[in-house]
C-alpha cells in the first residue's frame, strides 16, 4: 500500500506557559450572545446547532473578579455584540479597578451601535482597546459579508472614537480593525486597511474564515499543506522535472499489477521522496501535493504583500495569519494562560471549544464538541479561580502544553473517526485533547486577545 501521508514525529518548538498557574492570565468573557447583525461567516448564524441567547448578569461577572488582579488582558466579547449589553461600561470600570495598571481591557464590535456618547462613555470607563469588524469598504460587498450592516456606520464609529480620543489627550485607547479574509473579499484587503488607517486605526488583525456552513467551504484562501512540506515538495518536484519523471501520474499508476519502466521510475521516486521526508520529520500529504491543492495560495500571498506595504506606509500595526497551516502546536489560549467564559458562566478553554457546532475544513464536515470545566456564579457557588484549579481543567491544560497531539490536516485519513465524532475521548495518539485539528493552533485564525509574536 502506498504511503500518502507522513506526520512529523516531533512538534516544532512553541512558546509555553506554566499550565498550572494558580490563576488565569487572560479572560475572554462573552458578555452577551445576542447580536444586531447576521454575518454569513459567523457560527451564530451559519451553524446547524443553535445556542440559547442571553446576557451575562452582574452576579456572574462578579465571579470573575478574583482573577482580575492577575490578568494581563480581558476581552469582553464572544459570539454576540458587546455594545448590546447595557452594563458594558460598568463591567469595564470594575475590571480597571481590579486589574493591574499594565493589564488591558478591550473588545471587538461590529461598530453599528457606537454612537458619539457611547464612545465617550467607554473611554471614561477605562477601555484600552477596541477592534471594529470591517471586511470590505465597497458598500455592496460589506453588506454581503455583514448582513444588516452598512459601511457608513463604520465610518461614523471611527469618527466617534477619534473625537473621544481627541477630547482626552494622552488617552491609552488603541483602535483597530479585524478583517475576516475570504475569496470574495480578498482583493479588498489593502484598500480596507488604507481606509481604516486614514480614519484613525492603529492596528489591524486579519483572520481566515472558518466555514461553518457547507456553502462557505469554498471561501477559505489558506492552503492545505504546511510551508515546510511545500518547500520540501518543490525541491523534489524540481528534481523530478530535471530527471524527466512526471510524479503527478503517481496515483494513476501505483495500483497497477505490472509497471512499465516509466511507471517504475515514478513509484521509486515517490518512495525515495517519502522516506526522505520521514527522515527529515516533514509532514507530507501526497494527495494534496500532487493535485496542486494550494494553487490558489500565490494570489493570497500577493494580496498579503500589498497589505504589508499599506501598513508600512500608514504606520499601521498589522497581524496577518499564516497562509499554510503551521506544524507548531501552539495553543494561543492555553499557552497564554487564557480561559473563555460564556454569558451563562460556563467555562471553556478557548474559542475553538466554546460550544457545539459544525465547521467545514478542507471541504470536509467536522463536528466540534464544546468542552466545559464548570460554571461560575452564585448559583454554583464557584468563582473563576475555583474552576481554573479544578482537577479536570488542570489535567486538560497539562495535556495541551505537553504538545503530544497529532497534526491532523496532513494525515491521509483526515477526518478520521477519532476526530469526527460527537463523543470525542482520545485521538489516534491516545491524547484526550482535540487540538490536532484546531485552526487556531495551525495559525489560521486570530483574534485581538492573542499575544503578538
Amino acid at each position: 500500500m502506498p504511503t500518502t501521508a507522513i506526520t512529523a514525529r516531533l512538534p516544532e518548538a512553541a512558546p509555553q506557559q506554566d499550565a498550572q498557574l494558580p490563576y488565569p492570565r487572560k479572560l475572554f468573557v462573552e458578555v452577551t450572545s445576542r447580536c444586531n447583525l447576521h454575518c454569513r461567516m459567523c457560527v451564530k448564524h451559519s451553524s446547524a446547532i443553535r445556542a440559547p441567547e442571553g446576557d451575562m448578569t452582574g452576579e456572574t461577572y462578579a465571579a470573575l473578579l478574583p482573577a482580575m488582579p492577575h490578568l494581563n488582558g480581558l476581552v469582553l466579547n464572544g459570539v454576540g455584540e458587546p455594545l448590546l449589553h447595557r452594563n458594558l461600561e460598568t463591567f469595564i470600570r470594575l475590571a480597571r479597578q481590579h486589574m493591574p495598571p499594565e493589564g488591558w481591557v478591550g473588545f471587538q464590535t461590529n461598530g453599528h451601535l457606537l454612537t458619539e456618547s457611547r464612545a465617550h462613555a467607554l473611554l471614561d470607563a477605562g477601555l484600552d482597546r477596541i477592534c471594529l469588524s470591517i471586511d470590505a469598504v465597497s458598500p455592496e460587498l460589506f453588506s454581503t459579508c455583514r448582513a444588516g450592516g452598512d459601511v457608513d456606520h463604520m465610518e461614523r464609529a471611527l469618527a466617534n472614537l477619534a473625537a473621544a480620543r481627541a477630547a482626552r489627550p494622552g488617552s491609552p485607547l488603541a483602535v483597530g480593525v479585524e478583517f475576516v479574509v475570504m475569496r470574495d473579499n480578498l482583493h479588498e484587503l489593502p484598500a480596507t486597511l488604507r481606509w481604516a488607517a486614514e480614519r484613525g486605526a492603529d492596528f489591524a488583525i486579519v483572520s481566515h474564515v472558518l466555514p461553518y456552513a457547507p456553502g462557505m467551504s469554498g471561501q477559505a484562501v489558506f492552503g492545505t499543506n504546511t510551508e515546510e512540506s511545500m518547500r520540501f515538495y518543490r525541491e523534489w518536484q524540481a528534481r523530478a522535472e530535471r530527471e524527466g519523471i512526471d510524479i503527478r501520474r503517481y496515483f494513476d499508476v501505483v495500483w497497477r499489477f505490472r509497471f512499465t519502466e516509466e511507471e517504475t521510475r515514478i513509484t521509486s521516486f515517490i518512495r525515495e521522496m517519502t522516506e526522505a521526508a520521514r527522515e527529515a520529520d516533514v509532514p507530507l500529504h501526497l494527495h494534496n501535493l500532487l493535485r496542486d491543492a494550494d494553487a490558489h495560495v500565490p494570489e493570497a500571498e500577493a494580496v498579503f504583500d500589498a497589505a504589508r506595504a499599506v501598513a508600512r506606509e500608514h504606520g499601521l500595526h498589522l497581524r496577518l495569519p499564516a497562509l499554510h497551516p503551521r506544524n507548531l502546536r501552539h495553543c494561543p489560549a492555553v499557552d497564554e494562560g487564557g480561559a473563555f467564559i460564556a454569558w451563562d458562566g460556563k467555562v471553556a478553554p478557548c474559542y475553538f471549544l466554546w460550544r457545539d457546532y459544525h465547521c467545514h475544513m478542507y471541504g470536509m464536515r467536522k463536528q466540534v464538541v464544546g468542552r466545559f470545566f464548570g460554571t461560575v456564579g452564585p448559583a454554583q457557588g464557584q468563582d473563576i479561580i475555583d474552576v481554573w484549579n479544578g482537577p479536570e481543567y488542570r489535567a486538560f491544560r497539562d495535556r495541551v502544553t505537553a504538545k503530544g497531539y497529532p497534526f491532523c490536516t496532513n494525515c491521509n485519513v483526515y477526518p478520521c473517526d477519532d476526530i469526527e465524532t460527537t463523543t470525542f475521548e482520545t485521538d489516534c495518539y491516545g491524547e484526550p485533547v482535540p487540538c490536532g485539528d484546531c485552526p487556531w493552533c495551525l495559525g489560521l485564525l486570530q483574534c485581538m486577545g492573542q499575544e503578538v509574536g
Side-chain angles (χ1 to χ4, degrees), residues 183-201:
R183 296 206 182 188
D184 285 352
N185 69 348
L186 172 65
H187 62 284
E188 287 233 344
L189 175 59
T192 302
L193 296 180
R194 180 177 293 107
W195 182 91
E198 290 172 349
R199 288 158 178 79

Side-chain angles (χ1 to χ4, degrees), residues 380-398:
Q380 291 73 29
Q382 293 189 110
D383 62 33
I384 185 61
I385 301 298
D386 296 327
V387 176
W388 178 264
N389 288 311
E392 185 182 358
Y393 198 0
R394 289 170 63 90
F396 179 91
R397 298 197 304 275
D398 271 343

Side-chain angles (χ1 to χ4, degrees), residues 111-315:
H112 284 59
L113 302 176
L114 193 54
T115 62
E116 184 175 355
S117 61
R118 199 78 192 269
H120 285 281
L122 290 167
L123 267 69
D124 286 342
L127 185 69
D128 299 294
R129 300 183 190 180
I130 188 168
C131 193
L132 278 64
S133 298
I134 305 177
D135 309 303
V137 287
S138 301
E140 183 178 349
L141 184 54
F142 183 94
S143 61
T144 299
C145 295
R146 303 268 171 187
D150 187 331
V151 72
D152 289 340
H153 285 292
M154 309 308 295
E155 186 157 21
R156 284 195 290 272
L158 287 168
N160 291 335
L161 289 169
R165 282 204 293 187
R168 296 163 180 79
S171 168
L173 181 70
V175 176
V177 296
E178 184 188 42
F179 188 105
V180 179
V181 66
M182 301 172 280
R183 296 206 182 188
D184 285 352
N185 69 348
L186 172 65
H187 62 284
E188 287 233 344
L189 175 59
T192 302
L193 296 180
R194 180 177 293 107
W195 182 91
E198 290 172 349
R199 288 158 178 79
D202 305 302
F203 66 92
I205 302 168
V206 179
S207 181
H208 290 293
V209 67
L210 178 59
Y212 295 107
M216 292 292 292
S217 61
Q219 286 293 324
V221 302
F222 54 84
T224 62
N225 303 289
T226 67
E227 293 179 356
E228 183 184 21
S229 64
M230 288 297 296
R231 286 193 299 269
F232 180 92
Y233 173 70
R234 284 168 181 158
E235 292 174 1
W236 282 79
Q237 184 183 40
R239 174 184 157 185
E241 291 174 356
R242 291 193 301 269
E243 297 178 11
I245 301 173
D246 186 3
I247 57 176
R248 292 172 300 179
R249 293 188 56 215
Y250 175 70
F251 286 107
D252 295 331
V253 306
V254 67
W255 301 110
R256 295 180 182 176
F257 183 69
R258 292 182 179 176
F259 294 153
T260 65
E261 181 179 348
E262 178 188 6
E263 291 165 353
T264 298
R265 294 182 69 205
I266 292 171
T267 55
S268 297
F269 188 93
I270 292 295
R271 188 179 304 111
E272 182 183 358
M273 181 179 71
T274 55
E275 289 174 355
R278 185 179 294 105
E279 287 298 317
D281 282 338
V282 176
L284 205 63
H285 195 307
L286 290 183
H287 280 292
N288 290 339
L289 291 165
L290 295 179
R291 66 185 176 90
D292 203 13
D294 295 352
H296 61 284
V297 173
E299 178 187 1
E301 290 175 338
V303 172
F304 278 20
D305 285 342
R308 293 186 185 97
V310 169
R312 286 193 298 269
E313 177 187 351
H314 291 274

